[in-house]
Amino acid sequence: MDILVLAGGISTERDVSFVTGRCVYEALKRNGHRVVLADAYMGLPDEYKDMTGEQLFASDIDWAAQIGDITEVAPDIESIRNKRSAKYQGFLGPRILELCRSCDVVFMGLHGENGENGKLQAYLDLEGIAYTGTDYLSSAICMNKQISKELLAYNGIPVPKGHIIHKGEECGNTIGYPCVVKVCSGGSSVGVFVCHNEEEYDRALNEAFNIDDNVIVEQYIKGREFSVCVTDWDGAPKAMPVIEIAPKEEFYDYKSKYQAGATVETCPAELPDNKTKEMMALAERGYSALKLHSYARLDFMMSESDGGLYCLEANTLPGMTPTSLIPQEARAMGIDYDELCGKIVDAAIKSRA
């Protein structure tokens, strides 16, 4: 097949997306597909402007050659915007839509805004283009942490108590300390802060409102952190093995997620059987409640005080980097990285057949 891997984009997870894209690109090439890896926002370089889509997919260009590793801090988005020609106004860069129309399936290697918020998925649906991951509606639901929390709670899935604050509103803390401040729409723990006092709380709000106009304040659950991937490749939602995440810092922040050695991850997680089954069942129920399709990852905390489980959020395009969680869960099931990428592509083709 001809597969376009879209990565990069214009979110704070741009660098993470590139590494996801590179790993997926290389796996799909090993699987025998003709693959192009492209930056969704910057588009194709001018040097390829005279090549047709067929020529691009048939070429021996190493599209991943220029992609580096993930740095310890999120990228400067404004500087990225300034690098693109002013004549391109939308999200998609030069020739990206042409490549989408030329391929058999788009592998969504994007993370964060305009990758996971459903806009691009809706556009591809209108064009009749197959793509990996869940659909536009569930993407939009999960990108908004407040809406997704409300749906989870409505369906009986425990979530941390909290509330949303809109920019310009009264920002007093009614949750108490410690608490968590996080942007309503974001990922990779960018714009997430653990606050222990009023000074930290005020600083966190200022930084979060620089990223998003809507901010969530919620209770801090002290305990162990876990993640569960759920797929519906065989029909009904089915949870993969639970993975435990033990960051060496206070919480699982951007650095902990992507810098080797910053986190200890154990899969399958060392839990009593009843607690493992409970978490997997909650993950499957959450997947259904949020109307997810194909695959997604749901994150949980287990309270240190009483062992209670709380669903934090769902990720509709989880990372596929060397340190990402879903490849580790798949490996615990005997599914290697190349096979995992193949299953994701097969599900995209099947769902839109």
Side-chain angles (χ1 to χ4, degrees):
M1 287 189 289
D2 288 352
I3 303 176
L4 172 64
V5 179
L6 284 184
I10 198 63
S11 80
T12 51
E13 297 175 83
R14 175 178 171 84
D15 289 354
V16 181
S17 174
F18 275 133
V19 178
T20 282
R22 180 184 66 199
C23 295
V24 169
Y25 166 79
E26 292 169 346
L28 295 176
K29 293 279 283 186
R30 289 192 295 267
N31 286 347
H33 300 294
R34 303 199 308 178
V35 191
V36 171
L37 169 61
D39 181 347
Y41 185 72
M42 298 302 290
L44 286 186
D46 286 342
E47 62 192 283
Y48 305 123
K49 65 182 179 181
D50 295 326
M51 296 177 68
T52 66
E54 168 63 25
Q55 289 171 330
L56 289 166
F57 281 105
S59 74
D60 60 358
I61 299 168
D62 182 0
W63 298 98
Q66 303 303 314
I67 294 177
D69 294 325
I70 303 170
T71 59
E72 291 190 4
V73 295
D76 181 350
I77 298 304
E78 194 57 36
S79 69
I80 302 300
R81 292 185 191 277
N82 292 336
K83 291 178 182 178
R84 194 169 81 160
S85 171
K87 69 179 180 179
Y88 297 105
Q89 298 299 316
F91 170 69
L92 296 178
R95 302 197 63 190
I96 294 299
L97 183 54
E98 176 191 342
L99 282 172
C100 289
R101 290 170 174 154
S102 299
C103 70
D104 295 303
V105 60
V106 175
F107 197 111
M108 299 286 280
L110 295 160
H111 305 312
E113 183 182 4
N114 290 330
E116 291 186 80
N117 61 11
K119 293 180 180 180
L120 183 53
Q121 287 84 350
Y123 193 87
L124 294 175
D125 279 338
L126 289 173
E127 290 283 341
I129 297 167
Y131 57 88
T132 59
T134 195
D135 64 8
Y136 75 94
L137 180 59
S138 50
S139 296
I141 288 171
C142 292
M143 194 64 186
N144 187 304
K145 292 181 174 65
Q146 183 65 19
I147 292 175
S148 57
K149 279 185 64 176
E150 290 172 357
L151 271 176
L152 290 168
Y154 180 80
N155 284 274
I157 296 153
V159 296
K161 66 179 181 180
H163 59 87
I164 191 168
I165 301 175
H166 305 288
K167 199 167 189 175
E169 289 183 344
E170 174 62 40
C171 297
N173 180 9
T174 60
I175 299 296
Y177 298 105
C179 68
V180 176
V181 170
K182 60 186 181 183
V183 296
C184 189
S185 299
S188 287
S189 297
V190 176
V192 181
F193 310 89
V194 178
C195 307
H196 301 86
N197 52 53
E198 186 174 355
E199 181 182 355
E200 291 181 0
Y201 177 74
D202 290 340
R203 184 166 61 248
L205 283 177
N206 286 333
E207 292 191 35
F209 278 127
N210 284 331
I211 301 172
D212 195 339
D213 288 343
N214 302 297
V215 170
I216 293 174
V217 180
E218 64 184 22
Q219 72 179 123
Y220 173 70
I221 308 295
K222 184 178 181 181
R224 297 165 66 186
E225 186 167 359
F226 302 88
S227 191
V228 186
C229 176
V230 181
T231 72
D232 57 13
W233 298 333
D234 297 319
K238 182 175 177 58
M240 285 186 175
V242 177
I243 185 169
E244 181 170 7
I245 308 148
K248 295 179 180 178
E249 301 295 335
E250 182 176 18
F251 81 107
Y252 194 42
D253 61 5
Y254 185 91
K255 177 181 176 180
S256 297
K257 288 185 176 184
Y258 303 115
Q259 298 301 312
T263 303
V264 177
E265 292 154 353
T266 306
C267 187
E270 296 176 356
L271 287 166
D273 286 347
N274 65 325
K275 191 59 69 172
T276 296
K277 291 177 181 177
E278 179 187 357
M279 195 180 309
M280 292 172 73
L282 284 174
E284 291 169 356
R285 285 172 52 200
Y287 185 94
S288 296
L290 297 171
K291 311 301 180 186
L292 290 160
H293 304 287
S294 188
Y295 74 108
R297 197 191 80 218
L298 289 88
D299 299 334
F300 292 86
M301 290 296 300
M302 185 172 74
S303 172
E304 180 181 87
S305 60
D306 60 7
L309 295 176
Y310 297 84
C311 187
L312 302 180
E313 63 180 32
N315 301 270
T316 57
L317 289 177
M320 293 282 284
T321 74
T323 60
S324 293
L325 304 179
I326 286 184
Q328 296 186 58
E329 294 182 57
R331 191 159 54 246
M333 299 175 66
I335 300 171
D336 66 22
Y337 190 91
D338 292 5
E339 183 182 359
L340 174 62
C341 291
K343 284 180 174 291
I344 292 171
V345 168
D346 290 345
I349 297 295
K350 181 180 177 181
S351 69
R352 291 166 178 86

